[in-house]
Amino acid sequence: MSDKPLTGRARADRQPHSLAAWRGLGGGAGLALALKRHSPEAIIALIEAAGLRGRGGAGFPTANKWRFMRAGAERAGPGPRYLCVNGDETEPGSFKDRLLMEALPHQLIEGATIAAYAMGATEVIILVRDEYRAAAAALSRAIVEAEQLGLLGRDILGSGFDLTMRVHASAGRYIVGEETALIAALEGERPIPRHRPPYPAVSGLWGRPTTVNNVETLSAVPSIVEHGAEWYQGLSHTNEGGTKLYGVSGCVARPQLIEAPMGTTARELFELCGGIREGRALFAFQPGGGATAFLEAADLDVPLDFAHTKKAGSSLGTGAVIVLDDHACPVAAIGRHMRFYARESCGLCTPCRDGLPWVAKLLDTIEAGHGTRADIDLLHTHVQLSGPSGRSYCDLNTGALTPLRSGLERFGDIFAAHLQGSCPVGRA
Amino acid sequence: MSLSPAIRTAIAQAAANHGGPKAAMLEALKLVQEAEGWVSDAHLKEAAEALGVTTAEIDSLATFYSQIFRSPVGDTVILLCDGLSCYLCGGDAVRDAVMSKLGIGFGETTADGKFTLINICCVGGCDRAPVALVGPERKLVGPLTPDDLDALIDGKAVGGTP
């Protein structure tokens, strides 16, 4: 039994298995068990006991989400109900779902099928960003193979459960990965976020009950069903179940994807990556992608799970650990993020559409040594105005300004030094 | 030139597969772009007519998605990642070298029509940073160094296996 349920069966060359080869490795056992031995409610209870939380960034308990969907479906009555798989991975530093879709499409399809059975979905749509063409092709081929073997379509494995599945290839834009924007995209609307409530479980795709789950979340499902909640829970170093696919990038010797027990520390991850680049020292790191607050050397032993990372003042996000060494200027680094978020704003809300380009420009000015105290005060104002709770339709703006908020708090002296035309840390 | 019958058929098929004409608009745009390299006003209008949607509806998508090109692009599109992980691994030097070698900036096409350079983030290749996506297959190449650019521009693989 692998201690790497997500990647344990991946080929070294990252090429996808044929369905026959996948089954030869034991693939498909979770689906068979789910349909033959478990009721939908029992599967949800199993996922709950395993402690699986959404891997798309928010960490919402997966079982709760699936229960909301069942309740929504009951209220909505007969008709289609959708599971949308979020394969739009565009957050800076995040590159985990690419591997799962490219190398292990059958695992994702199996997980999505079990999830659809548990929550009562009738159709699965996997939205894949345009830049992941190999992933979209691998998934499309794998769906055809599964249909041919009766693992998708009508009366799957003689269980009476019917399910259709297809791939929707997107065409760029970070915002498409936002839950409600993704639903709008599938409807052919301009993909901008929608106000919640109503929540998608009540009124989602084409007004029908809908759940959006991340690729990594669903990829964990088959092995949980096969080996049980206790086994999955036991893989973790903390009380949040399972493993996590951490993606370490930036100033380490060997940037890479690592499937490790949930709650692995940054120190352990960096060691696996050959440490900080030669001759350099750690300056700071973002534990969960571009929209998470910085941590520093003192935080190297924080278990990287949802609760501990939050307690340390940041968040686990997607587990995309971006590492800055002592030659990487944080003003420049934050500026990079701001230019990304400014470019990727959908333009619906003013703080995002107008505020982020303004922030990006201020950071460029400060980085170039032409900033003033008033510019830094303005950055603080933007940060104060970006708080969550109703100032915009989605979290892009709040998320975007999180590294800035954290940078101003932790590295205020470096911002101040830039006003004098110098940077205490070198350029990357 | 107007859209080929094959593309019109594929657009109709997309409407059936995607849950209706409106939901198939993006797919129609991609079919046009695949055949023509970019989406002209004339083809946009034809795609709208083929689906029975308005030109404004389909253009609202065409102008939103970054990978739908509403102006002509070169034979090979190079999408160069400018995200933080690429920057931390020397992305700026690669960017400067590509621009200098091609003689163009982001969003521009070489005079001979061979290359278009576009900045993009993040392409999910942070373990191979700095990276680019090249050509119609969106082939991921990296880690790039300024010395690798000949291979990149010749369309050859650059960097190690993933």
Side-chain angles (χ1 to χ4, degrees), chain A residues 173-189:
Chain A
R173 298 307 295 271
Y174 171 64
I175 195 64
V176 178
E178 197 276 339
E179 184 179 53
T180 58
L182 184 147
I183 290 169
L186 293 176
E187 291 174 349
E189 299 289 342

Side-chain angles (χ1 to χ4, degrees), chain A residues 229-254:
Chain A
E230 204 176 311
W231 167 81
Y232 187 74
Q233 186 66 260
L235 295 175
S236 169
H237 283 173
T238 66
N239 64 2
E240 292 175 20
T243 59
K244 176 79 194 79
L245 200 43
Y246 297 97
V248 186
S249 68
C251 305
V252 288
R254 292 188 304 275

Side-chain angles (χ1 to χ4, degrees), chain A residues 14 90-95 98 129-133 166 168-173 175-176 185-192 206 249-251 255-256 277 286 322-324 328 332-333 336-337 340 343 346 427, chain B residues 17-20 22-27 30 33 57 59-61 63-68 79 82-85 87-90 92 95 119-128 133 135-138 140 162:
Chain A
R14 290 176 67 146
T90 315
E91 175 91 358
S94 298
F95 53 105
R98 177 179 211 137
R129 63 182 295 200
D130 184 51
E131 295 82 357
Y132 286 6
R133 299 221 173 156
R166 66 178 165 92
H168 174 101
S170 189
R173 298 307 295 271
I175 195 64
V176 178
L186 293 176
E187 291 174 349
E189 299 289 342
R190 205 167 160 102
I192 54 180
W206 288 299
S249 68
C251 305
Q256 60 187 285
R277 285 195 298 223
Q286 288 181 284
I322 307 175
V323 185
L324 274 63
R336 289 291 159 147
H337 278 332
F340 165 79
R343 192 165 73 209
C346 78
R427 278 174 158 271
Chain B
N17 291 344
H18 283 71
K22 207 165 170 188
M25 290 193 300
L26 180 59
E27 193 59 28
K30 292 175 88 169
Q33 183 161 296
E57 276 177 311
D59 203 22
S60 76
L61 295 195
T63 52
F64 189 92
Y65 287 104
S66 52
Q67 297 309 310
I68 298 296
L79 298 162
D82 63 359
L84 180 56
S85 299
Y87 167 74
L88 292 170
C89 295
D92 277 8
R95 176 201 62 200
N119 53 334
I120 187 172
C121 174
C122 151
V123 300
C126 314
D127 48 347
R128 294 167 66 183
L133 298 180
E137 301 298 325
R138 300 288 188 267
L140 183 76

Side-chain angles (χ1 to χ4, degrees), chain A residues 203-222:
Chain A
S203 177
L205 188 59
W206 288 299
R208 298 291 305 169
T210 301
T211 295
V212 180
N213 277 151
N214 174 257
V215 165
E216 186 186 347
T217 315
L218 293 171
S219 295
V221 167

Side-chain angles (χ1 to χ4, degrees), chain A residues 59-74:
Chain A
F60 191 78
T62 302
N64 288 2
K65 207 173 198 181
W66 293 4
R67 281 202 184 98
F68 291 151
M69 173 76 165
R70 288 191 72 79
E74 205 166 298

Side-chain angles (χ1 to χ4, degrees), chain A residues 241-303:
Chain A
T243 59
K244 176 79 194 79
L245 200 43
Y246 297 97
V248 186
S249 68
C251 305
V252 288
R254 292 188 304 275
Q256 60 187 285
L257 268 180
I258 300 166
E259 182 178 4
M262 179 64 96
T264 298
T265 65
R267 187 187 301 281
E268 292 165 315
L269 292 174
F270 297 167
E271 275 167 19
L272 291 166
C273 292
I276 305 303
R277 285 195 298 223
E278 206 183 340
R280 306 277 178 91
L282 175 70
F283 175 74
F285 62 100
Q286 288 181 284
T292 58
F294 289 99
L295 297 177
E296 295 175 81
D299 306 303
L300 275 169
D301 295 313
V302 171

